[in-house]
């Protein structure tokens, strides 16, 4: 979903229309407080989220909003594209160095902006998938992690059992738990997931 934060209704409406022309769902916020309330809920879209953020707004400027998002460590799952009519090169360079996805000066090319939004959404989807994989990995016990490492090294159950000093049946049980927790059916699928 594309999130649009701009204090001008005409800008919000035109950006929402641009998004709809590419079949990108969009939600517009007239205030930073509305948007930050959504962020606090943490309801990120599994299909990816991207933020179009105006730099100059009355209650809190876009740079401060970006800093807030970066402090919460959500800019990977919510790529930020700045829009401004009052930007300069040092501001753009600084925000990009600090992790902004892109920086557009108004007026901007509609197609270029929407292309970057689609790239931002794709990056957010990948970040979301990686976060889900890491969350599943975190559910593994220490022994399951040891078995996982040996499975990924291509070792057979008997070799894993010998190396860890456990029975082959115990390896099979750990292997079944790993596959279940990682939501895979084969070692090949597991390797592909963790590459």
């Amino acid at each position: 979903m594309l999130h649009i934060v701009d204090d001008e209704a005409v800008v919000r409406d035109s950006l929402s229309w641009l998004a709809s022309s590419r079949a990108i769902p969009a939600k517009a916020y007239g205030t930073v407080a509305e948007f930050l309330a959504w962020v606090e809920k943490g309801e990120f879209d599994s299909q990816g989220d991207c933020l179009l953020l105006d730099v100059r707004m009355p209650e809190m400027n876009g740079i401060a909003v970006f800093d807030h998002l970066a402090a919460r460590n959500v800019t990977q799952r919510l790529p930020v594209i700045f829009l401004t009519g009052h930007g300069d090169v040092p501001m753009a360079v600084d925000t990009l160095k600090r992790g902004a996805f892109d920086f557009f000066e108004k007026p901007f090319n509609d197609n270029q902006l929407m292309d970057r939004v689609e790239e931002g959404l794709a990056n957010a989807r990948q970040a979301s998938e990686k976060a889900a994989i890491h969350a599943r990995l975190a559910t593994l016990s220490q022994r399951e992690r040891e078995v996982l490492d040996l499975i990924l090294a291509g070792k057979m159950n008997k070799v894993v059992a010998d190396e860890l000093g456990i029975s082959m049946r115990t390896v099979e049980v750990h292997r079944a738990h790993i596959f279940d927790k990682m939501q895979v059916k084969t070692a090949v699928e597991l390797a592909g997931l963790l590459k």
Side-chain angles (χ1 to χ4, degrees):
M1 171 156 313
L2 175 62
H3 300 271
I4 302 163
V5 181
D6 198 300
D7 59 326
E8 295 181 47
V10 68
V11 174
R12 291 191 307 271
D13 292 344
S14 65
L15 290 171
S16 295
W17 179 84
L18 272 176
S20 70
S21 73
R22 296 261 188 124
I24 299 170
K27 182 168 183 182
Y29 306 85
T31 67
V32 170
E34 288 175 50
F35 170 70
L36 291 179
W38 172 82
V39 171
E40 295 302 320
K41 290 179 187 174
E43 297 172 351
F44 294 97
D45 191 330
S46 62
Q47 295 303 307
D49 288 290
C50 185
L51 172 61
L52 289 179
L53 182 60
D54 190 13
V55 172
R56 281 196 179 175
M57 291 179 287
E59 60 189 289
M60 182 180 198
N61 73 42
I63 304 297
V65 173
F66 176 73
D67 290 340
H68 177 78
L69 297 173
R72 294 205 59 213
N73 202 27
V74 296
T75 55
Q76 290 296 314
R77 295 187 64 195
L78 183 63
V80 177
I81 299 174
F82 282 101
L83 300 173
T84 186
H86 307 283
D88 55 33
V89 172
M91 179 189 297
V93 170
D94 179 57
T95 57
L96 292 171
K97 279 184 178 177
R98 293 188 301 124
F101 192 71
D102 212 332
F103 196 99
F104 280 81
E105 195 168 8
K106 296 174 187 174
F108 48 81
N109 178 292
D110 297 351
N111 287 325
Q112 288 176 345
L113 176 63
M114 286 299 111
D115 288 346
R116 287 301 281 164
V117 165
E118 288 176 342
E119 291 170 20
L121 290 168
N123 282 7
R125 269 191 298 280
Q126 290 174 348
S128 181
E129 290 166 5
K130 285 181 185 177
I133 291 167
H134 286 295
R136 284 184 253 158
L137 277 171
T139 66
L140 299 179
S141 69
Q142 179 62 37
R143 180 60 86 179
E144 289 168 344
R145 288 299 296 248
E146 292 168 353
V147 171
L148 171 68
D149 290 341
L150 294 171
I151 290 170
L152 292 176
K155 300 197 176 179
M156 304 300 287
N157 287 354
K158 183 175 180 4
V159 175
V160 172
D162 289 343
E163 285 192 26
L164 296 178
I166 57 179
S167 73
M168 201 159 99
R169 176 68 187 134
T170 302
V171 171
E172 291 168 357
V173 168
H174 284 311
R175 186 181 184 108
H177 287 160
I178 292 166
F179 285 12
D180 185 48
K181 289 178 181 179
M182 296 306 294
Q183 300 172 6
V184 297
K185 295 188 185 328
T186 66
V188 172
E189 192 179 347
L190 181 63
L193 184 69
L194 298 176
K195 68 177 179 180

